[in-house]
């Protein structure tokens, strides 16, 4: 398997993919290693995972440079991601004891009732490339803390980062037979679905999530799917600081080249502030520097995957054919590397894929609305349900709108953010199950209910 640098289109490394035999060997090792790992006191597992976080910090420059070389994100954004992962690991470690300890629910009249959180066994994590440290951490860290062994399949577009993660886990003290990595593309993922894991935790597209869920269903083991989104954002007429809001929301749409599951993917703006907002938004987008991920001050690097360029081209073309206008950008950049100009489309509507299908790239449609009723109807017109965002000085108004959204996350005067303390979960085609928070720690356990009568 070739690892290609999306900025230079050069092959930077060749890796050997796993196959059914190597995967089976790894699973057998994990099944044995898990028993000893689960028998360790939680405090020891926490210490080892914290050591892993410290190693990420010590080796951040090397790790950021590997990540940028294979996914094309600007170096500073790679550093930010590693810092973000460390903060999440810290939260998970600080809270693991509280949420994994047994709970006495009632105790009296000679009968005690309690819940014990047991590890699932060996879990399989099939992951995405866009934030390998963050989406990986959401799964493998709480899984390890809860006493599971992990087969981690990084995306084929983030394999070098996956190998680095495995290296530093092992250096931190996670035994080799407790954390294993599966190298390869979709066919290797498909192989993993044939094997008897005790839980499947997937981050990726709706299309792959659907295949995984269908395939794993007969096993009757836990499955979680964190999938894509078409996240709406609404700017009401009650906003102040339009320039600041335009800059913040443009970042929410274009950070990491729009390749975030919770990127702002479509914007609705009240007609009273529409012109001012759009002007400031375009000004912000035009101020960004695009270039090699290693160059200082670059905000937009290449896309990670070449195939996404044609998806974006098609969305732009269809929108223009149906009456949209481009205010900036609109096409791939000629030359080496998978670069696409940051693109702002207006005069858009819901006949266009750019307002309905996940773009996962640096393009955004901005639609004018006359009131909240129209904005709510448009925001709800989606198969997805990851996040929804409202900007207004009026909290009641924002809450009333957000309460009507069928999404796992609701933002008031912010967007494109994740908190370790809150469940990260999708609805509808954005998936199901939660990572992070107390739910995301317990997601890697099975409960046993004890009814204990004193003789
Ligand atoms: P993808 O679905 O193409 O691939 C994800 C993983 O699945 C990869 O490791 C891939 O090798 C594997 N895979 C592919 N086909 C498979 C099969 N048939 N069986 C088993 N495994 C298979 O997604 P991607 O391009 O890596 O990631 C982008 C998508 O992920 C976007 O839709 C994005 O919104 C979503 N995402 C969601 C979240 C979230 O938290 N909700 C986070 C990050 C990314």
């Amino acid at each position: 398997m070739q690892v290609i640098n999306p900025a230079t289109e050069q092959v930077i490394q060749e890796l050997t993919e796993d196959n059914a035999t190597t995967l089976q060997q790894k699973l057998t090792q994990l099944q044995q290693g898990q028993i000893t790992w689960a028998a360790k006191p939680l405090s020891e597992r926490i210490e080892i995972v914290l050591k892993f976080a410290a190693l990420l910090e010590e080796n951040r420059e090397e790790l950021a440079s590997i990540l940028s070389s294979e996914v094309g994100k600007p170096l500073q954004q790679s550093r930010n991601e590693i810092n973000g992962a460390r903060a999440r690991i810290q939260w998970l470690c600080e809270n693991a004891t509280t949420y994994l300890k047994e709970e006495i629910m009632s105790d009296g009249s000679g009968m005690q009732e309690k819940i014990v959180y047991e590890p699932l066994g060996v879990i399989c994590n099939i992951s995405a490339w866009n934030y390998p440290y963050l989406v990986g951490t959401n799964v493998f860290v709480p899984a390890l803390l809860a006493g599971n062994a992990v087969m981690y399949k990084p995306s084929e577009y983030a394999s070098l980062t996956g190998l680095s993660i495995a290296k530093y886990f092992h250096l931190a003290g996670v035994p080799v037979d407790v954390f294993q990595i599966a190298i390869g593309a979709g066919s290797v993922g498909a192989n993993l679905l044939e094997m008897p894991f005790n839980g499947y935790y997937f981050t990726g597209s709706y299309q792959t999530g659907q295949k995984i869920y269908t395939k794993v269903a007969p096993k009757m083991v836990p499955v979680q799917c964190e999938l894509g989104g078409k996240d709406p954002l609404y700017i009401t007429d009650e906003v102040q600081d339009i320039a600041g809001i335009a800059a913040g929301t443009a970042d929410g749409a274009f950070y990491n080249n729009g390749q975030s599951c919770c990127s702002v993917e479509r914007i609705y703006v009240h007609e009273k502030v529409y012109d001012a907002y759009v002007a400031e938004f375009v000004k912000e987008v035009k101020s960004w520097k695009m270039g090699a991920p290693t160059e200082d001050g670059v905000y937009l690097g290449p896309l990670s995957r070449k195939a996404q360029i044609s998806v974006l081209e098609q969305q732009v073309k269809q929108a223009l054919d149906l009456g949209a206008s481009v205010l900036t950008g609109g096409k791939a950049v000629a030359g080496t590397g998978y670069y696409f100009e940051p693109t702002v489309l207006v005069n858009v509507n819901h006949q266009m894929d750019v307002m309905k299908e996940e773009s996962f790239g640096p393009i955004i449609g901005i639609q004018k609305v006359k009131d909240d009723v129209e904005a709510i109807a448009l925001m709800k017109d989606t198969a997805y349900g990851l996040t929804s965002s409202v900007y207004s000085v009026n909290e009641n108004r924002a809450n009333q709108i957000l309460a009507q959204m069928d999404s796992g996350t609701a933002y008031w005067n912010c967007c494109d953010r994740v908190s370790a303390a809150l469940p990260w979960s999708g609805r509808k085609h954005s998936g199901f199950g939660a990572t992070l928070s107390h739910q995301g720690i317990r997601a890697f356990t099975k409960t046993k209910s004890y009814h204990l009568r004193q003789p």
Side-chain angles (χ1 to χ4, degrees), residues 374-417:
E374 187 183 7
I376 291 165
L378 289 167
M379 292 170 87
K380 288 174 73 168
D381 180 28
T382 176
Y384 290 99
L386 196 57
T387 81
S388 311
S389 172
V390 173
Y391 281 68
S392 171
V393 291
N394 184 334
E395 187 172 1
N396 279 340
R397 180 177 174 185
N399 277 339
Q400 275 173 19
I401 298 169
L402 292 171
Q404 296 178 60
M405 296 298 127
D406 196 6
S407 60
T409 290
Y411 300 121
W412 177 43
N413 294 328
C414 57
C415 59
D416 188 32
R417 76 186 292 279

Tab-separated table of all heavy atoms in Angstrom, residues 374-417:
chain	number	residue	atom	x	y	z
A	374	GLU	N	-38.730	29.960	8.392
A	374	GLU	CA	-38.081	29.459	7.174
A	374	GLU	C	-36.716	28.833	7.519
A	374	GLU	O	-36.368	27.756	7.005
A	374	GLU	CB	-37.892	30.609	6.159
A	374	GLU	CG	-37.389	30.087	4.825
A	374	GLU	CD	-37.107	31.185	3.792
A	374	GLU	OE1	-37.165	32.389	4.118
A	374	GLU	OE2	-36.809	30.802	2.638
A	375	ALA	N	-35.979	29.488	8.414
A	375	ALA	CA	-34.656	28.953	8.787
A	375	ALA	C	-34.800	27.572	9.424
A	375	ALA	O	-34.054	26.641	9.084
A	375	ALA	CB	-33.960	29.908	9.761
A	376	ILE	N	-35.762	27.426	10.326
A	376	ILE	CA	-35.931	26.133	11.028
A	376	ILE	C	-36.280	25.036	10.019
A	376	ILE	O	-35.713	23.937	10.053
A	376	ILE	CB	-37.024	26.254	12.117
A	376	ILE	CG1	-36.517	27.154	13.239
A	376	ILE	CG2	-37.435	24.886	12.654
A	376	ILE	CD1	-37.591	27.643	14.200
A	377	ALA	N	-37.195	25.348	9.100
A	377	ALA	CA	-37.605	24.335	8.112
A	377	ALA	C	-36.398	23.894	7.277
A	377	ALA	O	-36.207	22.703	7.031
A	377	ALA	CB	-38.707	24.904	7.220
A	378	LEU	N	-35.574	24.844	6.882
A	378	LEU	CA	-34.407	24.495	6.060
A	378	LEU	C	-33.361	23.735	6.873
A	378	LEU	O	-32.779	22.749	6.410
A	378	LEU	CB	-33.793	25.760	5.451
A	378	LEU	CG	-34.640	26.418	4.353
A	378	LEU	CD1	-34.114	27.816	4.029
A	378	LEU	CD2	-34.671	25.553	3.091
A	379	MET	N	-33.120	24.178	8.102
A	379	MET	CA	-32.131	23.487	8.943
A	379	MET	C	-32.533	22.030	9.162
A	379	MET	O	-31.688	21.135	9.183
A	379	MET	CB	-32.005	24.189	10.303
A	379	MET	CG	-31.376	25.568	10.212
A	379	MET	SD	-31.500	26.461	11.755
A	379	MET	CE	-30.035	25.900	12.625
A	380	LYS	N	-33.862	21.808	9.299
A	380	LYS	CA	-34.335	20.442	9.567
A	380	LYS	C	-34.409	19.576	8.324
A	380	LYS	O	-34.594	18.364	8.418
A	380	LYS	CB	-35.729	20.506	10.208
A	380	LYS	CG	-35.697	21.009	11.634
A	380	LYS	CD	-37.072	21.211	12.197
A	380	LYS	CE	-37.757	19.907	12.508
A	380	LYS	NZ	-38.971	20.110	13.308
A	381	ASP	N	-34.259	20.191	7.168
A	381	ASP	CA	-34.400	19.454	5.914
A	381	ASP	C	-33.081	18.738	5.586
A	381	ASP	O	-32.325	19.157	4.717
A	381	ASP	CB	-34.779	20.450	4.794
A	381	ASP	CG	-34.938	19.753	3.458
A	381	ASP	OD1	-35.281	18.550	3.456
A	381	ASP	OD2	-34.709	20.410	2.418
A	382	THR	N	-32.813	17.664	6.310
A	382	THR	CA	-31.548	16.943	6.138
A	382	THR	C	-31.697	15.499	6.613
A	382	THR	O	-32.468	15.218	7.526
A	382	THR	CB	-30.411	17.617	6.946
A	382	THR	OG1	-29.233	16.830	6.819
A	382	THR	CG2	-30.744	17.778	8.413
A	383	ALA	N	-30.914	14.630	5.988
A	383	ALA	CA	-30.891	13.228	6.428
A	383	ALA	C	-29.945	13.049	7.608
A	383	ALA	O	-29.921	12.001	8.233
A	383	ALA	CB	-30.435	12.343	5.270
A	384	TYR	N	-29.133	14.087	7.884
A	384	TYR	CA	-28.107	13.977	8.924
A	384	TYR	C	-28.568	14.598	10.248
A	384	TYR	O	-29.605	15.270	10.289
A	384	TYR	CB	-26.824	14.676	8.462
A	384	TYR	CG	-26.128	13.941	7.332
A	384	TYR	CD1	-26.283	14.347	6.005
A	384	TYR	CD2	-25.337	12.832	7.593
A	384	TYR	CE1	-25.643	13.665	4.971
A	384	TYR	CE2	-24.694	12.153	6.575
A	384	TYR	CZ	-24.851	12.569	5.271
A	384	TYR	OH	-24.213	11.897	4.261
A	385	GLY	N	-27.766	14.435	11.293
A	385	GLY	CA	-28.134	15.007	12.592
A	385	GLY	C	-26.954	15.056	13.549
A	385	GLY	O	-27.008	14.516	14.650
A	386	LEU	N	-25.869	15.720	13.119
A	386	LEU	CA	-24.710	15.772	14.016
A	386	LEU	C	-24.753	17.033	14.891
A	386	LEU	O	-24.871	16.932	16.102
A	386	LEU	CB	-23.413	15.701	13.193
A	386	LEU	CG	-22.151	15.367	13.978
A	386	LEU	CD1	-22.282	14.050	14.733
A	386	LEU	CD2	-20.933	15.308	13.068
A	387	THR	N	-24.657	18.233	14.275
A	387	THR	CA	-24.721	19.460	15.070
A	387	THR	C	-25.607	20.496	14.375
A	387	THR	O	-25.836	20.412	13.162
A	387	THR	CB	-23.325	20.110	15.293
A	387	THR	OG1	-22.956	20.879	14.132
A	387	THR	CG2	-22.255	19.093	15.576
A	388	SER	N	-26.075	21.480	15.163
A	388	SER	CA	-26.841	22.616	14.633
A	388	SER	C	-26.420	23.834	15.445
A	388	SER	O	-26.177	23.722	16.652
A	388	SER	CB	-28.341	22.435	14.843
A	388	SER	OG	-28.756	21.166	14.419
A	389	SER	N	-26.393	24.989	14.793
A	389	SER	CA	-25.879	26.170	15.475
A	389	SER	C	-26.744	27.396	15.187
A	389	SER	O	-27.204	27.582	14.059
A	389	SER	CB	-24.446	26.390	14.968
A	389	SER	OG	-23.946	27.592	15.432
A	390	VAL	N	-26.941	28.213	16.237
A	390	VAL	CA	-27.712	29.452	16.081
A	390	VAL	C	-26.934	30.608	16.696
A	390	VAL	O	-26.407	30.481	17.820
A	390	VAL	CB	-29.090	29.344	16.781
A	390	VAL	CG1	-29.818	30.684	16.760
A	390	VAL	CG2	-29.951	28.283	16.116
A	391	TYR	N	-26.857	31.709	15.978
A	391	TYR	CA	-26.219	32.933	16.492
A	391	TYR	C	-27.291	33.979	16.744
A	391	TYR	O	-28.045	34.350	15.836
A	391	TYR	CB	-25.181	33.471	15.488
A	391	TYR	CG	-23.877	32.714	15.556
A	391	TYR	CD1	-23.804	31.385	15.148
A	391	TYR	CD2	-22.718	33.319	16.055
A	391	TYR	CE1	-22.616	30.680	15.239
A	391	TYR	CE2	-21.517	32.615	16.131
A	391	TYR	CZ	-21.471	31.293	15.724
A	391	TYR	OH	-20.297	30.595	15.815
A	392	SER	N	-27.359	34.443	17.989
A	392	SER	CA	-28.341	35.462	18.364
A	392	SER	C	-27.961	35.985	19.740
A	392	SER	O	-27.406	35.222	20.545
A	392	SER	CB	-29.736	34.820	18.427
A	392	SER	OG	-30.647	35.726	18.985
A	393	VAL	N	-28.287	37.258	20.018
A	393	VAL	CA	-28.056	37.725	21.388
A	393	VAL	C	-29.162	37.232	22.317
A	393	VAL	O	-29.042	37.303	23.535
A	393	VAL	CB	-27.962	39.277	21.481
A	393	VAL	CG1	-26.694	39.795	20.819
A	393	VAL	CG2	-29.192	39.951	20.897
A	394	ASN	N	-30.226	36.708	21.730
A	394	ASN	CA	-31.411	36.314	22.488
A	394	ASN	C	-31.364	34.804	22.782
A	394	ASN	O	-31.614	33.974	21.906
A	394	ASN	CB	-32.642	36.672	21.640
A	394	ASN	CG	-33.932	36.388	22.359
A	394	ASN	OD1	-33.998	35.527	23.241
A	394	ASN	ND2	-34.977	37.103	21.966
A	395	GLU	N	-31.060	34.478	24.028
A	395	GLU	CA	-30.880	33.062	24.380
A	395	GLU	C	-32.173	32.260	24.225
A	395	GLU	O	-32.154	31.115	23.759
A	395	GLU	CB	-30.349	32.950	25.819
A	395	GLU	CG	-29.989	31.533	26.196
A	395	GLU	CD	-29.293	31.401	27.540
A	395	GLU	OE1	-29.092	32.429	28.218
A	395	GLU	OE2	-28.958	30.268	27.906
A	396	ASN	N	-33.309	32.875	24.620
A	396	ASN	CA	-34.587	32.153	24.501
A	396	ASN	C	-34.891	31.792	23.070
A	396	ASN	O	-35.321	30.693	22.748
A	396	ASN	CB	-35.747	33.020	25.028
A	396	ASN	CG	-35.807	32.946	26.524
A	396	ASN	OD1	-35.260	32.013	27.124
A	396	ASN	ND2	-36.455	33.949	27.124
A	397	ARG	N	-34.665	32.777	22.211
A	397	ARG	CA	-34.943	32.535	20.788
A	397	ARG	C	-34.051	31.393	20.271
A	397	ARG	O	-34.515	30.484	19.590
A	397	ARG	CB	-34.667	33.832	20.006
A	397	ARG	CG	-34.914	33.729	18.526
A	397	ARG	CD	-34.684	35.107	17.899
A	397	ARG	NE	-34.756	35.072	16.458
A	397	ARG	CZ	-34.488	36.130	15.685
A	397	ARG	NH1	-34.173	37.295	16.239
A	397	ARG	NH2	-34.576	36.035	14.380
A	398	ALA	N	-32.775	31.442	20.630
A	398	ALA	CA	-31.841	30.393	20.181
A	398	ALA	C	-32.270	29.039	20.735
A	398	ALA	O	-32.304	28.038	20.015
A	398	ALA	CB	-30.426	30.736	20.618
A	399	ASN	N	-32.615	29.004	22.022
A	399	ASN	CA	-33.010	27.724	22.631
A	399	ASN	C	-34.242	27.139	21.972
A	399	ASN	O	-34.348	25.925	21.774
A	399	ASN	CB	-33.266	27.903	24.130
A	399	ASN	CG	-31.968	27.847	24.906
A	399	ASN	OD1	-30.976	27.309	24.411
A	399	ASN	ND2	-31.965	28.411	26.093
A	400	GLN	N	-35.203	28.021	21.659
A	400	GLN	CA	-36.425	27.518	21.021
A	400	GLN	C	-36.114	26.888	19.665
A	400	GLN	O	-36.733	25.893	19.275
A	400	GLN	CB	-37.423	28.658	20.834
A	400	GLN	CG	-38.254	28.868	22.095
A	400	GLN	CD	-39.135	30.088	22.005
A	400	GLN	OE1	-39.399	30.581	20.911
A	400	GLN	NE2	-39.579	30.564	23.141
A	401	ILE	N	-35.190	27.474	18.953
A	401	ILE	CA	-34.818	26.913	17.648
A	401	ILE	C	-34.041	25.609	17.842
A	401	ILE	O	-34.344	24.583	17.229
A	401	ILE	CB	-33.979	27.938	16.840
A	401	ILE	CG1	-34.797	29.198	16.576
A	401	ILE	CG2	-33.484	27.327	15.527
A	401	ILE	CD1	-33.999	30.377	16.023
A	402	LEU	N	-33.063	25.642	18.744
A	402	LEU	CA	-32.208	24.462	18.925
A	402	LEU	C	-32.998	23.258	19.436
A	402	LEU	O	-32.694	22.115	19.091
A	402	LEU	CB	-31.048	24.803	19.872
A	402	LEU	CG	-30.032	25.794	19.278
A	402	LEU	CD1	-29.035	26.258	20.327
A	402	LEU	CD2	-29.297	25.178	18.079
A	403	ALA	N	-34.024	23.532	20.247
A	403	ALA	CA	-34.836	22.424	20.774
A	403	ALA	C	-35.542	21.668	19.646
A	403	ALA	O	-35.881	20.497	19.795
A	403	ALA	CB	-35.865	22.965	21.767
A	404	GLN	N	-35.731	22.320	18.528
A	404	GLN	CA	-36.441	21.661	17.408
A	404	GLN	C	-35.503	20.890	16.483
A	404	GLN	O	-35.948	20.224	15.550
A	404	GLN	CB	-37.181	22.717	16.581
A	404	GLN	CG	-38.283	23.410	17.379
A	404	GLN	CD	-38.960	24.486	16.559
A	404	GLN	OE1	-39.532	24.227	15.520
A	404	GLN	NE2	-38.877	25.710	17.043
A	405	MET	N	-34.205	20.998	16.732
A	405	MET	CA	-33.241	20.328	15.843
A	405	MET	C	-33.050	18.867	16.251
A	405	MET	O	-32.848	18.585	17.431
A	405	MET	CB	-31.872	21.035	15.906
A	405	MET	CG	-31.895	22.464	15.393
A	405	MET	SD	-32.363	22.503	13.658
A	405	MET	CE	-33.711	23.669	13.717
A	406	ASP	N	-33.092	17.981	15.285
A	406	ASP	CA	-32.873	16.564	15.581
A	406	ASP	C	-31.389	16.250	15.387
A	406	ASP	O	-30.991	15.506	14.487
A	406	ASP	CB	-33.751	15.714	14.639
A	406	ASP	CG	-33.888	14.289	15.134
A	406	ASP	OD1	-33.414	14.001	16.253
A	406	ASP	OD2	-34.452	13.461	14.397
A	407	SER	N	-30.557	16.871	16.250
A	407	SER	CA	-29.111	16.651	16.147
A	407	SER	C	-28.554	16.343	17.532
A	407	SER	O	-29.117	16.759	18.544
A	407	SER	CB	-28.423	17.894	15.554
A	407	SER	OG	-28.629	19.028	16.362
A	408	GLY	N	-27.438	15.625	17.559
A	408	GLY	CA	-26.841	15.233	18.836
A	408	GLY	C	-26.210	16.398	19.580
A	408	GLY	O	-26.034	16.344	20.790
A	409	THR	N	-25.839	17.460	18.854
A	409	THR	CA	-25.189	18.613	19.480
A	409	THR	C	-25.868	19.901	19.029
A	409	THR	O	-26.268	20.028	17.864
A	409	THR	CB	-23.680	18.628	19.124
A	409	THR	OG1	-23.049	17.540	19.808
A	409	THR	CG2	-22.995	19.915	19.539
A	410	ALA	N	-26.006	20.847	19.973
A	410	ALA	CA	-26.617	22.145	19.678
A	410	ALA	C	-25.670	23.238	20.151
A	410	ALA	O	-25.148	23.176	21.269
A	410	ALA	CB	-27.946	22.252	20.420
A	411	TYR	N	-25.418	24.235	19.317
A	411	TYR	CA	-24.485	25.318	19.658
A	411	TYR	C	-25.209	26.661	19.656
A	411	TYR	O	-25.926	26.974	18.711
A	411	TYR	CB	-23.390	25.439	18.600
A	411	TYR	CG	-22.494	24.241	18.371
A	411	TYR	CD1	-22.436	23.650	17.109
A	411	TYR	CD2	-21.660	23.743	19.364
A	411	TYR	CE1	-21.572	22.588	16.848
A	411	TYR	CE2	-20.798	22.670	19.107
A	411	TYR	CZ	-20.761	22.107	17.853
A	411	TYR	OH	-19.903	21.060	17.590
A	412	TRP	N	-24.973	27.456	20.673
A	412	TRP	CA	-25.465	28.843	20.693
A	412	TRP	C	-24.255	29.763	20.631
A	412	TRP	O	-23.388	29.707	21.517
A	412	TRP	CB	-26.281	29.098	21.969
A	412	TRP	CG	-26.765	30.508	22.124
A	412	TRP	CD1	-27.311	31.296	21.160
A	412	TRP	CD2	-26.751	31.299	23.325
A	412	TRP	NE1	-27.636	32.530	21.670
A	412	TRP	CE2	-27.306	32.558	23.006
A	412	TRP	CE3	-26.331	31.066	24.643
A	412	TRP	CZ2	-27.442	33.582	23.947
A	412	TRP	CZ3	-26.475	32.075	25.571
A	412	TRP	CH2	-27.025	33.321	25.217
A	413	ASN	N	-24.179	30.566	19.611
A	413	ASN	CA	-23.061	31.504	19.398
A	413	ASN	C	-21.696	30.823	19.337
A	413	ASN	O	-20.687	31.401	19.772
A	413	ASN	CB	-23.045	32.604	20.478
A	413	ASN	CG	-24.259	33.496	20.353
A	413	ASN	OD1	-24.776	33.722	19.251
A	413	ASN	ND2	-24.734	34.000	21.477
A	414	CYS	N	-21.673	29.601	18.864
A	414	CYS	CA	-20.408	28.909	18.603
A	414	CYS	C	-20.698	27.787	17.612
A	414	CYS	O	-21.859	27.559	17.262
A	414	CYS	CB	-19.775	28.366	19.897
A	414	CYS	SG	-20.832	27.258	20.826
A	415	CYS	N	-19.657	27.144	17.143
A	415	CYS	CA	-19.851	26.069	16.166
A	415	CYS	C	-18.580	25.232	16.105
A	415	CYS	O	-17.542	25.631	16.654
A	415	CYS	CB	-20.165	26.633	14.780
A	415	CYS	SG	-18.898	27.728	14.098
A	416	ASP	N	-18.675	24.069	15.447
A	416	ASP	CA	-17.497	23.253	15.142
A	416	ASP	C	-16.605	23.061	16.376
A	416	ASP	O	-15.408	23.298	16.327
A	416	ASP	CB	-16.705	23.937	13.998
A	416	ASP	CG	-15.559	23.062	13.488
A	416	ASP	OD1	-15.697	21.840	13.517
A	416	ASP	OD2	-14.528	23.635	13.067
A	417	ARG	N	-17.214	22.636	17.485
A	417	ARG	CA	-16.384	22.362	18.665
A	417	ARG	C	-16.872	21.079	19.345
A	417	ARG	O	-18.039	20.697	19.221
A	417	ARG	CB	-16.347	23.557	19.631
A	417	ARG	CG	-17.581	23.765	20.461
A	417	ARG	CD	-17.504	25.064	21.274
A	417	ARG	NE	-16.521	25.081	22.335
A	417	ARG	CZ	-16.692	24.543	23.541
A	417	ARG	NH1	-17.819	23.926	23.839
A	417	ARG	NH2	-15.742	24.622	24.458
